[in-house]
Amino acid sequence: MNYYGLRFFAVLLVLFGVVMISGVESGDVAFDTNYNVVWGDYKHASVLKHGRQARLSLDAQSGGGFVCKQQYGSGFFNMRIKLAGRNTAGVVTAFYLASSGNYGHDELDFEFLGDKEGKPIRLQTNVFANGKGNREQKVVLWFDPAADYHDYKILWNHRLIAFYVDDIPIRAFRNNKKIGVEYPTQAMQIHVSIWNGDSWATDGGRTKINWTYAPFTAHFQSFNVDGCPSTNGRRKCHSASSYWWNQRKYWNFNRTMRRKYQIVRDKFMNYDYCNDTTRHPTTPPECAPNHFKNKH
C-alpha cells in the first residue's frame, strides 16, 4: 500500500474516536523523581526544562540512556517520545521494561528502527518471558514520529500485556500459561536508550549509520509512573482494588479497541513472528486466531 493509502487508514483510526485507557493516570513529575541517567555524559544524556524533558543523543563516540529507580510488578507505563529525524538508518531508540539479570529474564520492548530519509520508521515490539523471546512484531507508523511527541504505552497485568501508540492498540499478548506459554511475572524496571543498532536494525544490517548526520537526538517527556512497586508483593500488584489496570475490563480490549487493533494488524503491520514459518515451522501456541475470544 502506498503512503496515501496508509494515511487514509490512519484517519479511520482517529474517526473511531479517542477511547482513553483510563482517566486516573497520575500527573507529570520531574525526571529526578523516578529516573536516573545511567549511560552517557552530558553531551549524550541531559535533563532539560526544569526536569520536564530529557534528551538522549547518539554519535560515533557514545549513545545514552536512563533507567527508572524502582522495580514494578504490574502497571500502565507511558513515555512521550519525539524521535531523531533525518537519515536515522541503523539508529535504535528503545523504551522497554526488563527484569534484572540475563538468565531467564522478562522484557517488554518498544524499539524504533531508524531508516533512510523519506522511508517510514518501523516500530518493533517484543515480549520475553523466562528468557524466551523471538516474538517480534513490526508496524509502520502512520505519522512522522520525529515531527512531534507521541505517547507509547505498555499495560501489564496478570492477564494481558498490551502495547499502545497514543490510544491505539498495536499489540496484545495474553496470559496463556494454561497451554504452556510463559508469561512475564518478574519485577521489571523501565529503561530508555538510544544506541547503534546498524548490525541488524535497517535492511537486516546492510544499511549502516551515516555519521555525517550525527548527533541523532531523541527527546522524552512524561516521567510519572503508574506502577505497583515490586516491594508490595505479587498479591497486591495483581489486586484490582489497589490498582485500576488490574480490573477485569483491562483483561481484554473493548469493541472499539478491537476494531482499531484490527486496522493496525491489517494495514500497518509488516512483520509478525506468528507468520514466520522459517523461524517458527510450528505455529507458536499463543498465535491462535481466537486471541480475543477466550472466556475468562
Side-chain angles (χ1 to χ4, degrees):
M1 179 175 293
N2 63 26
Y3 172 81
Y4 294 103
L6 291 176
R7 294 292 294 176
F8 170 74
F9 283 101
V11 170
L12 283 185
L13 288 173
V14 175
L15 289 177
F16 278 136
V18 176
V19 180
M20 298 298 291
I21 296 289
S22 171
V24 295
E25 296 173 54
S26 58
D28 195 19
V29 298
F31 177 91
D32 293 340
T33 303
N34 290 318
Y35 290 93
N36 287 320
V37 172
V38 294
W39 176 30
D41 56 20
Y42 179 79
K43 182 180 177 182
H44 300 94
S46 56
V47 181
L48 312 169
K49 297 186 177 180
H50 305 288
R52 263 53 187 186
Q53 181 176 305
R55 179 176 63 195
L56 297 178
S57 294
L58 172 70
D59 59 25
Q61 284 69 51
S62 179
F66 57 89
V67 175
C68 194
K69 298 175 182 179
Q70 181 71 262
Q71 292 187 325
Y72 299 94
S74 67
F76 183 63
F77 306 96
N78 178 42
M79 185 65 61
R80 288 179 57 76
I81 303 173
K82 182 168 72 170
L83 295 183
R86 297 187 64 208
N87 282 311
T88 56
V91 177
V92 177
T93 306
F95 163 49
Y96 62 101
L97 308 179
S99 62
S100 300
N102 295 320
Y103 179 77
H105 76 289
D106 293 346
E107 187 170 318
L108 308 175
D109 296 335
F110 273 118
E111 292 180 310
F112 301 87
L113 311 181
D115 213 323
K116 293 172 284 191
E117 186 79 17
K119 296 191 68 175
I121 288 175
R122 290 164 300 145
L123 175 54
Q124 174 172 284
T125 59
N126 203 352
V127 175
F128 288 79
N130 195 26
K132 176 178 170 54
N134 296 324
R135 297 187 176 101
E136 299 92 344
Q137 291 182 352
K138 298 176 186 177
V139 298
V140 176
L141 292 172
W142 48 92
F143 54 85
D144 180 0
D148 203 352
Y149 287 94
H150 288 267
D151 289 285
Y152 302 93
K153 307 173 183 180
I154 301 172
L155 180 144
W156 171 38
N157 59 43
H158 66 294
R159 294 290 190 127
L160 176 69
I161 293 163
F163 295 78
Y164 297 82
V165 175
D166 295 321
D167 291 298
I168 297 170
I170 67 165
R171 180 166 191 175
F173 186 83
R174 295 186 63 85
N175 188 335
N176 280 306
K177 280 197 167 184
K178 289 183 178 180
I179 59 172
V181 180
E182 294 283 355
Y183 190 80
T185 58
Q186 298 181 65
M188 291 191 277
Q189 281 179 291
I190 305 167
H191 298 251
V192 181
S193 60
I194 188 169
W195 48 283
N196 179 351
D198 71 4
S199 64
W200 64 275
T202 307
D203 300 327
R206 294 185 297 275
T207 302
K208 304 299 184 181
I209 293 177
N210 185 341
W211 294 110
T212 62
Y213 289 92
F216 304 98
T217 301
H219 294 83
F220 306 86
Q221 296 176 341
S222 188
F223 304 118
N224 55 292
V225 179
D226 286 317
C228 172
S230 59
T231 51
N232 288 347
R234 184 173 297 180
R235 184 185 182 95
K236 185 167 185 180
C237 284
H238 292 174
S239 167
S241 60
S242 298
Y243 297 104
W244 62 263
W245 53 82
N246 293 322
Q247 296 172 22
R248 190 182 185 91
K249 63 183 177 179
Y250 299 112
W251 296 359
N252 212 328
F253 292 157
N254 62 30
R255 182 179 298 177
T256 300
M257 286 294 186
R258 285 198 298 270
R259 292 173 70 189
K260 289 184 177 184
Y261 176 65
Q262 194 59 51
I263 286 180
V264 170
R265 291 191 59 85
D266 291 345
K267 304 302 178 182
F268 298 99
M269 182 174 289
N270 66 359
Y271 177 82
D272 183 357
Y273 77 104
C274 288
N275 302 324
D276 191 335
T277 56
T278 300
R279 294 177 63 196
H280 303 283
T282 301
T283 302
E286 69 271 20
C287 296
N290 62 341
H291 198 59
F292 281 104
K293 295 180 182 178
N294 297 344
K295 301 296 183 181
H296 300 299

